């Protein structure tokens, strides 16, 4: 299986630009909803039109998108710029996806959005919905080739910059080889917008495994931001991993925040793994005696 | 035997023979073990062996530590005492410790730092139910060290007899009177600031450490030590630090000079024994200074008027004590 944060370039959903064709490999509805929500709401800020490829049989307006994004309060002006397109419209009589027909539809929509004064068309959807009605069966087999054809057309069409797309693939439903192929059809993989993004510190919510990726500098000036980011994963069920290999500097106060978080997780019978910990921080944790903190797991140390 | 009360009791013991050592140590240990108290002997291997032989079967209940490895530097020593107490303390019972420092072979700076710490223990451990006796072997220690023992301990034990120390000094006054060797900052030392920005401190600390030849983990630890020290000094509102950095044989030295600007007057002076206690369950204002001390070969704070000068040294690249093991499977 392709690792979603592997060789492809990661891009935060808020940083996507016209011309981008990115995949979202998700393993939970929460993960998909979070990123899709940012993608849709980002369209409002960027003056984009939004086209959602729905797998539903008979979509009832943009409500299907609000449900998938878990948007409960729709911002003003958003519904007017959303178009729902059913994937079922592009199936042959034998139930096969017709990539060229779908592509023509998207091309027309992109042209129209520009005529209407929008900056670009942003397309989102789960293409696998066109392959299989049975949500319990794995995606694989001959349908994959047609989907890859669609992805190739999309990449070529959108590279001109008039549109941007996030293609969602459910890791739980795709066979490993198919997922590998789908991922390879995209130059970039999308991830959630950072919970913290300053000149010195970036903290990103991760979902596989559940946790945070911390990059940059944590000092007294950013303790509050780190504390808030940790709170955002306080409700996660089960274990949490904090990916630390991108940490350049973390002071004692910042380390204490992580220990406090681990202790709180231990009270819920869950652990906090510090993964990719720079060796000097392992030294400090041991020096203070925090290596025996309940709930704390020290994962692989990041090589210097 | 003397030493009543529930707080910290700190005695010296000047001994000039094995017999004199045992005359103090055996009854001290025996009474403690009989009372169900945790008892530690952190002394020389020779004294540990003497004590075990004298105690016989009772030696099984005695905790021991080769003193040279029970805290190499003062901050580690204090931490070791506190951790022993935390690990072994029993409700309603006192903890006993024989704690004989290593004096032989220390530099003038190290001897001064240990004398200060011996005095500082009266403050740092105050309130703890600990009875500590610090033996001092007059056969080997310099005269000034033996004299200092009487200035840093309120009383001394001679066998089982308690003798007040007439020259005992208030710890703050004593520490202020112990002069450390003067630090000569070279004219070409790199400098930055004054600044109130930790980012400036971090950049300077890193640049100096890189220039001094540190890499990898040791580079990161040096930067952390300087930043934690600066973070402590910058705590009061309006504080700024000017930094200087230079290389010495075997060490990289940093000087952090705190000035204070604003209407609130000068910052409170740094307590003389600040940063010797390890971080506890709750965050404390001296936690960062403790880490800076723990990561440094030496750390000294001096105040002059509104200025506070903190000088720390971290081990240089030539310090072979801290060489990492070779990479496996090169």
């Amino acid at each position: 299986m392709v690792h979603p944060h592997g060789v492809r370039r990661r891009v935060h959903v808020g940083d996507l630009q016209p011309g981008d064709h990115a995949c979202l490999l998700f393993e939970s509805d929460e993960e998909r909803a979070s990123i899709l929500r940012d993608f849709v709401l980002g369209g409002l800020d960027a003056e984009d039109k939004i086209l959602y490829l729905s797998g539903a049989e008979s979509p009832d307006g943009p409500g299907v998108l609000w449900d998938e994004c878990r948007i409960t309060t729709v911002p003003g002006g958003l519904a007017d710029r959303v178009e729902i397109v059913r994937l079922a419209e592009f199936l042959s009589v034998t139930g096969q996806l017709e990539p060229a027909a779908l592509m023509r539809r998207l091309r027309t929509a992109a042209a129209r959005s520009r005529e209407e004064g929008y900056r670009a068309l942003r397309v989102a959807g789960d293409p696998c919905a066109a392959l299989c009605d049975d949500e319990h069966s794995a995606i694989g087999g001959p349908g994959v080739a047609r989907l890859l054809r669609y992805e190739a057309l999309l990449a070529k069409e959108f590279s001109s910059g008039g549109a941007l797309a996030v293609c969602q693939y459910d890791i739980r439903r795709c066979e490993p080889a198919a997922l590998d192929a789908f991922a390879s059809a995209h130059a970039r993989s999308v991830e959630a917008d950072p919970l913290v993004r300053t000149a010195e510190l970036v903290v990103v919510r991760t979902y596989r495994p559940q946790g945070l990726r911390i990059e940059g500098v944590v000092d007294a000036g950013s303790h509050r931001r780190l504390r808030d980011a940790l709170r955002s994963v306080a409700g996660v069920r089960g274990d949490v991993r904090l990916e630390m290999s991108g940490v350049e500097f973390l002071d004692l106060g910042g380390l204490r925040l992580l220990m406090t978080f681990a202790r709180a997780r231990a009270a819920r019978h869950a652990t906090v793994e510090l993964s990719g910990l720079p060796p000097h921080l392992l030294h400090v944790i041991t020096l203070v005696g925090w290596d025996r903190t309940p709930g704390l797991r020290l994962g692989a140390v990041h090589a210097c | 035997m003397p030493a009543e009360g529930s707080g910290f009791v700190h005695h010296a013991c000047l001994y000039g023979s094995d017999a004199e050592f045992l005359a103090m140590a055996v009854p001290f240990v025996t009474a403690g073990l009989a009372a169900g108290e945790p008892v530690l002997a952190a002394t020389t291997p020779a004294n540990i062996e003497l004590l075990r032989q004298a105690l016989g079967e009772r030696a099984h209940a005695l905790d021991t530590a080769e003193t040279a490895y029970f805290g190499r530097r003062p901050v580690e020593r204090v931490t070791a005492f506190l951790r022993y107490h935390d690990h072994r303390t029993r409700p309603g019972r006192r903890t006993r410790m024989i704690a004989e420092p290593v004096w032989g072979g220390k530099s003038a700076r190290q001897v001064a730092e240990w004398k200060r710490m011996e005095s500082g223990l009266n403050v740092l451990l105050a309130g703890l139910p600990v009875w500590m006796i610090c033996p001092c072997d007059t056969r080997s220690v310099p005269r000034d060290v033996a004299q200092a023992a009487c200035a840093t301990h309120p009383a001394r034990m001679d066998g089982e007899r308690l003798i007040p120390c007439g020259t005992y000094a208030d710890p703050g006054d004593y520490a202020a009177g112990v002069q450390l060797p003067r630090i000569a900052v070279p004219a070409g030392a790199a400098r930055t600031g004054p600044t109130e920005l930790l980012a400036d401190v971090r950049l300077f600390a890193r640049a100096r450490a890189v220039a001094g030849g540190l890499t990898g983990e040791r580079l990161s630890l040096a930067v952390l030590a300087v930043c934690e020290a600066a973070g402590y000094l910058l705590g009061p509102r309006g504080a700024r630090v000017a930094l200087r950095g230079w290389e010495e044989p075997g060490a990289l030295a940093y000087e952090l000079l705190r000035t204070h600007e604003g209407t609130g007057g000068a910052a409170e002076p740094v307590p003389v024994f600040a940063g010797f206690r390890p971080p506890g369950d709750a965050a404390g204002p001296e936690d960062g200074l403790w880490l800076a001390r723990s990561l440094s070969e030496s750390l000294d704070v001096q105040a002059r008027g509104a200025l506070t000068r903190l000088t720390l040294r971290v081990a240089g690249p030539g310090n072979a004590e801290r060489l990492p093991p070779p990479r496996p499977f090169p």
Side-chain angles (χ1 to χ4, degrees), chain B residues 128-165:
Chain B
L128 279 187
V130 171
W131 182 5
M132 177 181 288
I133 297 180
C134 302
C136 184
D137 189 343
T138 56
R139 295 170 295 187
S140 58
V141 301
R143 178 175 296 181
D144 65 293
V145 168
Q147 289 172 340
C150 293
T152 56
H153 298 77
R156 64 187 177 91
M157 299 293 296
D158 186 0
E160 295 185 70
R161 192 161 60 98
L162 183 69
I163 304 170
C165 290

Side-chain angles (χ1 to χ4, degrees), chain B residues 66-143:
Chain B
E66 186 173 334
T67 191
Y69 298 96
F70 197 70
R72 188 170 71 87
R73 289 172 295 114
V75 66
E76 295 169 336
R77 187 75 162 184
V78 174
T79 302
F81 288 145
L82 290 169
R83 288 188 174 158
Y84 176 78
H85 177 263
D86 285 348
H87 279 286
R88 287 287 197 263
T89 187
R90 294 172 194 164
R93 304 198 187 241
R94 181 170 52 186
T95 298
R96 295 184 187 220
M97 300 186 201
I98 293 173
E100 179 167 7
V102 175
W103 295 103
K106 280 191 163 32
S107 68
R109 167 175 292 278
Q110 289 173 325
V111 169
E113 288 171 344
W114 276 76
K115 286 178 179 174
R116 280 184 173 183
M117 183 212 68
E118 279 292 337
S119 183
L121 290 175
N122 298 298
V123 175
L124 295 165
L125 306 187
L128 279 187
V130 171
W131 182 5
M132 177 181 288
I133 297 180
C134 302
C136 184
D137 189 343
T138 56
R139 295 170 295 187
S140 58
V141 301
R143 178 175 296 181

Side-chain angles (χ1 to χ4, degrees), chain B residues 168-214:
Chain B
Y168 176 70
D170 170 80
D173 294 342
Y174 180 80
V178 175
Q179 295 301 313
L180 297 177
R182 191 168 174 278
I183 298 166
V185 183
R191 61 178 64 209
T192 193
T195 180
E196 71 279 12
L197 299 177
L198 287 170
D200 292 345
V201 174
R202 193 165 54 249
L203 288 174
F204 180 80
R206 176 169 290 275
R208 296 316 309 156
V210 169
L214 293 185

Side-chain angles (χ1 to χ4, degrees), chain B residues 177-256:
Chain B
V178 175
Q179 295 301 313
L180 297 177
R182 191 168 174 278
I183 298 166
V185 183
R191 61 178 64 209
T192 193
T195 180
E196 71 279 12
L197 299 177
L198 287 170
D200 292 345
V201 174
R202 193 165 54 249
L203 288 174
F204 180 80
R206 176 169 290 275
R208 296 316 309 156
V210 169
L214 293 185
T215 58
E217 181 177 355
R218 293 175 61 177
L219 167 64
S220 300
L221 290 172
V223 174
L224 186 56
V226 176
C227 289
E228 292 291 352
Y232 175 76
L233 292 178
L234 289 171
R237 184 180 296 276
R240 293 155 68 87
V241 291
L243 293 100
R244 291 195 285 182
W246 65 96
E247 294 169 35
E248 296 179 352
L252 304 181
Y254 294 88
E255 177 199 72
L256 287 70

